[in-house]
Amino acid sequence: ALRLADDEQVRSAYANWGNVTAEEKQAVLQKVADFTSRDLGTEPTALKFEKMKRDLLGVHRNGEIVVNSARFADIQLLQNPAHETGHEFQRQLAARGPQAGFSLGANENDRAALFAANGRYYIYDDERGGWQAYANQPMEKHSRYIGDEIMRIVQSKVQEERYQKELQQSQGKSDD
């Protein structure tokens, strides 16, 4: 995530999200997805953009990541491609687990089995237990961590740049 935070286009979009065009947002969101794919070792996925019901940021559907273009004003959308790429990683890890004929490390085998089981018994937020049951599933916790980490690191880098700029400006004024 640090490499992504070093990208000027990503930092600028985060810092000025309300003034960034839809096309620029799409490019930055694709960059987040591509970075996350490389980081997790999954195949890059071209994002699709479509209007969805208002509360969704996006979905991972049949190997595709669909971003809710109705939410372009929401800065939280920036973490969504990373979150959804996390689901693709989970799907691939579960598919290539012990049954694939090669040995993963013990932790990877456990995660593969966990994601496979969670995938078989996945809870959508409109069924059995509602939002809490949905949000507390291993797959959602893992993907939320990935997306939140992207946001945290980019936000931290942007705040550091603002601080440094203000510091330089205040030092310039005191030198006068």
Side-chain angles (χ1 to χ4, degrees):
L2 289 173
R3 290 187 314 265
L4 183 65
D6 286 336
D7 186 283
E8 175 62 32
Q9 184 184 21
V10 172
R11 287 193 322 274
S12 178
Y14 179 88
N16 304 294
W17 193 256
N19 298 316
V20 176
T21 68
E23 293 78 23
E24 292 169 324
K25 287 177 182 178
Q26 288 178 353
V28 167
L29 293 169
Q30 185 64 59
K31 199 173 265 195
V32 170
D34 292 345
F35 167 81
T36 309
S37 291
R38 278 191 307 275
D39 202 43
L40 294 175
T42 63
E43 289 295 316
T45 304
L47 301 181
K48 290 187 173 189
F49 298 89
E50 64 183 54
K51 291 191 177 193
M52 300 178 197
K53 73 181 199 184
R54 185 70 186 142
D55 60 334
L56 290 175
L57 290 174
V59 295
H60 180 263
R61 178 171 65 205
N62 301 322
E64 296 179 335
I65 296 173
V66 184
V67 177
N68 187 355
S69 57
R71 298 285 302 267
F72 269 178
D74 188 344
I75 187 67
Q76 290 301 311
L77 194 63
L78 190 61
Q79 62 83 24
N80 185 258
H83 175 97
E84 300 303 341
T85 301
H87 286 312
E88 179 60 17
F89 167 79
Q90 295 161 356
R91 186 192 67 74
Q92 289 181 22
L93 182 63
R96 70 173 191 234
Q99 72 277 13
F102 63 91
S103 177
L104 301 169
N107 273 349
E108 293 299 294
N109 277 332
D110 290 348
R111 286 193 340 171
L114 180 66
F115 293 149
N118 192 182
R120 284 191 300 277
Y121 301 103
Y122 191 82
I123 301 169
Y124 295 90
D125 68 349
D126 58 349
E127 41 181 61
R128 305 183 304 248
W131 169 253
Q132 282 303 110
Y134 162 80
N136 286 317
Q137 303 178 86
M139 291 172 76
E140 287 305 320
K141 283 182 158 186
H142 177 256
S143 283
R144 202 167 43 255
Y145 172 80
I146 292 168
D148 289 350
E149 193 65 6
I150 292 287
M151 287 293 288
R152 185 189 67 73
I153 291 172
V154 171
Q155 179 183 30
S156 177
K157 186 81 168 187
V158 167
Q159 288 173 336
E160 177 66 22
E161 284 180 343
R162 286 179 181 158
Y163 169 76
Q164 291 297 328
K165 186 176 180 180
E166 288 176 18
L167 183 62
Q168 288 173 351
Q169 287 173 346
S170 69
Q171 288 175 342
K173 288 180 184 176
S174 66
D175 290 342
D176 293 338

